[in-house]
């Protein structure tokens, strides 16, 4: 199988950041907060670049849907070894309403436009944890899907896949073109090297796309009512009396018991 | 997955399809690249260095494998020319990279910066044979380097060094000893400043490994030369040019060391902030205490001020401005002093916990204390700056 791989990369709040809910409960604070590429998307990019290094595919195209800053995410993909980037410009209200269904429609349209043989995505994003985009994209294209992949190997025009599922590991064989979503153990993403960063950013361009009517984003299908933080932990009941009595009964001698405070 | 460094092809300058989109901010066109460099360095520091920082310090491990991984990413010869295996980046890029790496381990990053300085000296002042012989291995960290200037009798007064090199045919015979050499005994290439035309028994040997307060992930030893024969082909530059080359190397070295202090201060401010948000006394978190709030604000302000001065110095050095030496000295003086105070304050904010080796903040304090001393003491920095000011006509 030769040809083009589309890799979806999403710009999300960095995994190490402490998330704070906005005071008006309409969402989480994103302004000024460190963002980076979704970790599962990094794994997808790494897999695509590895396939290219094995000469099983010809070109890796990184795609991101979002505002201007999404270009940073695409640049990271380029620095890791992607050949080309496509930034689908979605901002403002459209961006707030952007969800898996809309992204899937965009990816499906791009896949046809770019004549892609394979779409590689992360299994889910760490901000919304939807785990839907890969599956929806495959359905829209009527392509087979291999989700939660922990091993991918190409065999002619078929793909051997090992999936991590609740029951264990599932081995499947699917036809191409196909959609694959990457799970944690698929690979360990490489660091971009300094020369790669320089070469890629000098020589690779990122195209800008504006979504057209067919990939309409105007309607947000899932209304968001409220975002709240989980409740603070409440203190436990003081059972020191009960514990002390129990221990005395067991050993016949009173023991000094130090109960540590579990919540601060 | 680590990428093997392939033999570098010369970059095809004609192939650029598009001019860079970012507007010229007066700092060069590559702002997006800078962010990517910083990202790689931060990621590397967090994943490959920070988890081992305490162990390297306690067991005094020289982390060869980790440094070689860093070299594979291009950190072995950051401002060395690409034709001999370097990354060909600017001083500003370098400062940003070392600042980020330092958040993972100051001592190791400081050694990497010394190694870079040596590689650069050979790259800049070496002839074709010397560059091709030494630089590729140094850039890949196949070989490690040490910079040998200080002697038992000449520290701040570097020009009074005594190690002699007497010409005998096609060799120089070196005699003398160097003190406090970072990496000494564990490194492969020694860039030695010595005096030709002076007086002159077997080779090179090393003193005992010093026990230090910090910088424990790199060994420090005296380097002793007894009738040590070094081929004339290994002389960098001309006779009499050595002091100049040594000082030029130090300008960059000072920015690098100051950048390492920045990284430590940055990490310490984050640690202090996290602690203030968690630790409770008198019924509320420490972050509600106004004195601590103000203290944290001062720390952050001094950090940003230090950072700006260092980056300005990096630019000045890159552009070879006439004030470069003075401003590099200012940056080193200011940043190392302020960043030490920041780390020290961060330790204080941790209370008793700050004094325990379980907490990283004490290692940052110990590791950057020496930055006020080496690569020219902060007193010598004042000498350089005042001399520059007073000599202006």
């Amino acid at each position: 199988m030769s040809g083009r791989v589309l890799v979806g990369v999403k710009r999300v709040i960095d995994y190490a950041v402490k998330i704070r809910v906005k005071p008006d409960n309409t969402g989480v604070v994103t302004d000024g907060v460190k963002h980076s590429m979704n970790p599962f998307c990094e794994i997808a990019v790494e897999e695509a670049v590895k396939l290219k290094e094995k000469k099983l595919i010809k070109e890796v195209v990184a795609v991101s849907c979002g505002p201007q800053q999404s270009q940073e995410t695409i640049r990271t993909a380029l620095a890791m070894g992607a050949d080309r980037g496509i930034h689908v410009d979605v901002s403002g209200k459209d961006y707030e309403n952007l969800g898996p269904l809309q992204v899937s429609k965009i990816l499906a349209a791009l896949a046809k436009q770019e004549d892609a043989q394979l779409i590689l995505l992360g299994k889910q994003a760490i901000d919304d944890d939807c785990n839907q985009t890969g599956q929806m994209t495959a359905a829209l294209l009527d392509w087979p899907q291999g989700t939660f992949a922990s091993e991918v190997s190409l065999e002619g025009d078929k793909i051997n896949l090992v999936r991590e599922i609740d029951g264990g590991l599932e081995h499947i064989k699917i036809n191409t073109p196909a959609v694959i979503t990457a799970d944690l153990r698929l690979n360990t993403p490489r660091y971009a090297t300094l020369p790669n960063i320089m070469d890629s950013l000098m020589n690779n361009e990122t195209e800008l796309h504006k979504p057209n009517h067919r990939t309409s984003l105007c309607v947000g299908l899932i209304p968001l009512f409220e975002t709240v933080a989980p409740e603070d932990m409440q203190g436990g009941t003081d059972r020191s009396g009960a514990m002390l009595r129990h221990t005395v009964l067991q050993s016949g001698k009173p023991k000094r018991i130090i109960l540590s405070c579990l919540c601060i | 997955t680590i990428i093997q460094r392939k033999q570098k092809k010369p970059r095809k300058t004609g192939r650029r399809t598009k001019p860079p989109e970012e507007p010229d901010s007066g700092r060069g066109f590559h702002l997006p690249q800078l962010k990517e460099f910083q990202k790689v360095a931060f990621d590397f520091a967090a994943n490959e260095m920070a988890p081992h920082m305490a162990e390297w310090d306690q067991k005094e491990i020289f982390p060869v494998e980790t440094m070689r991984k860093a070299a594979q990413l291009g950190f072995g010869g950051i401002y060395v020319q690409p034709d001999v295996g370097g990354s060909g980046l600017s001083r500003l890029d370098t400062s940003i990279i070392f600042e980020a790496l330092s958040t993972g381990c100051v001592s190791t990053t400081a050694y990497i910066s010394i190694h870079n300085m040596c590689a650069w000296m050979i790259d800049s002042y070496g002839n074709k044979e010397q560059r091709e012989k030494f630089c590729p291995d140094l850039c890949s960290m196949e070989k490690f380097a040490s910079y040998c200037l200080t002697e038992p009798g000449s520290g701040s007064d570097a020009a009074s060094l005594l190690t002699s090199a007497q010409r005998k045919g096609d060799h120089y015979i070196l005699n003398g000893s160097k003190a406090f050499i970072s990496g000494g005994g564990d490194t492969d290439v020694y860039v030695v400043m010595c005096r030709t035309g002076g007086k002159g028994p077997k080779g090179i040997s090393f003193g005992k490994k010093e026990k230090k307060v910090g910088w424990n992930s790199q060994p420090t030893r005296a380097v002793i030369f007894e009738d040590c024969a070094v081929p004339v082909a290994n002389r960098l530059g001309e006779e009499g040019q050595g002091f100049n080359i040594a000082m030029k190397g130090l300008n960059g070295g000072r920015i690098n060391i100051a950048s390492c202090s920045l990284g430590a201060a940055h990490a310490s401010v984050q640690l202090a902030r996290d602690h203030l948000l968690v630790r409770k006394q008198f019924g509320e978190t420490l972050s509600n205490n106004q004195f601590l709030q103000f203290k944290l604000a001062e720390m952050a302000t001094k950090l940003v001020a230090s950072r700006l001065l260092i980056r300005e110095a990096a630019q000045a050095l890159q552009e070879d401005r006439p004030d470069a030496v003075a401003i590099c000295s200012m940056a080193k003086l200011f940043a190392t002093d302020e960043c030490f105070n920041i780390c020290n304050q961060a330790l204080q904010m941790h209370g008793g916990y700050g004094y325990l080796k379980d907490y990283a903040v004490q290692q940052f304090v110990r590791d950057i204390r020496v930055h006020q001393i080496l690569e020219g003491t902060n007193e010598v920095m004042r000498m350089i700056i005042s001399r520059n000011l007073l000599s202006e006509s």
Side-chain angles (χ1 to χ4, degrees), chain A residues 181-250:
Chain A
T181 72
D183 208 325
L184 188 65
R185 278 162 282 271
L186 179 57
N187 59 49
T188 308
R190 65 193 62 194
Y191 298 106
T193 67
L194 300 182
N196 278 1
I197 293 171
M198 285 188 295
D199 283 340
S200 68
L201 298 189
M202 294 301 267
N203 297 321
N204 292 314
E205 42 183 277
T206 302
E207 302 160 31
L208 196 59
H209 283 224
K210 290 252 180 241
N212 60 27
H213 298 297
R214 273 193 287 138
T215 55
S216 147
L217 303 165
C218 307
V219 179
L221 297 178
I222 303 175
L224 180 69
F225 289 120
E226 193 188 40
T227 305
V228 289
E231 278 178 16
D232 285 336
M233 270 209 295
Q234 301 302 315
T237 325
D238 178 11
R239 303 180 67 80
S240 54
M243 279 207 66
L244 190 54
R245 276 197 298 281
H246 175 77
T247 314
V248 167
L249 286 170
Q250 291 279 65

Side-chain angles (χ1 to χ4, degrees), chain A residues 1-6 57 107-108 110-112 114-120 134 137-146 154-159 161 173-180:
Chain A
M1 186 183 82
S2 65
R4 199 165 285 134
V5 172
L6 237 52
I57 53 139
L107 289 178
L110 278 174
K112 292 201 187 105
E114 296 284 333
D115 189 26
Q117 300 284 62
L118 190 57
I119 298 180
L120 267 165
T137 310
L140 287 169
L141 289 166
D142 199 23
W143 284 8
Q145 57 180 263
L154 271 48
E155 201 184 287
D157 62 349
K158 302 216 191 297
I159 304 178
L161 220 89
K173 194 183 220 130
I174 56 177
N175 294 327
T176 55
V179 175
I180 298 177

